[in-house]
């Protein structure tokens, strides 16, 4: 139920592959408790380290993050 509600509240999610990493932008008109933690867990599941991030949770939710793939070996 939490993820269904979360998905309905998201207005825009974009992922762009850049030379320096992967740019992720998430926007929701309403702030959603737990959304930041959820997004960071997705980064972890895809083995991405966050190099830069800007987050605003006041009223709406906006996240801009740059991640790079963790190479183990």
């Amino acid at each position: 139920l939490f993820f269904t509600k979360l998905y309905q509240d998201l207005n825009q999610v974009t992922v762009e592959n850049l030379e320096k990493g992967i740019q992720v932008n998430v926007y929701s008109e309403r702030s959603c408790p737990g959304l930041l933690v959820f997004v960071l867990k997705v980064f972890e599941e895809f083995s991405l380290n966050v190099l830069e991030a800007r987050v605003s949770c006041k009223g709406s939710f906006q996240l801009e993050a740059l991640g790079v793939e963790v190479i183990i070996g």
Side-chain angles (χ1 to χ4, degrees), residues 10-69:
L10 292 179
N11 297 96
Q12 183 178 7
V13 176
T14 60
V15 179
E16 186 177 357
N17 196 4
L18 307 175
E19 278 186 42
K20 58 183 178 178
I22 297 172
Q23 178 74 39
V24 177
N25 298 301
V26 179
Y27 175 77
S28 175
E29 288 181 2
R30 293 186 293 166
S31 187
C32 182
L35 182 55
L36 179 58
V37 172
F38 174 77
V39 171
L40 293 176
K41 283 184 180 182
V42 171
F43 266 79
E44 184 178 11
E45 287 177 20
F46 284 97
S47 297
L48 296 172
N49 278 349
V50 178
L51 294 181
E52 297 177 23
R54 281 184 233 133
V55 180
S56 174
C57 300
K58 199 167 193 170
S60 64
F61 177 89
Q62 190 167 6
L63 167 88
E64 295 175 7
L66 177 64
V68 293
E69 188 175 358

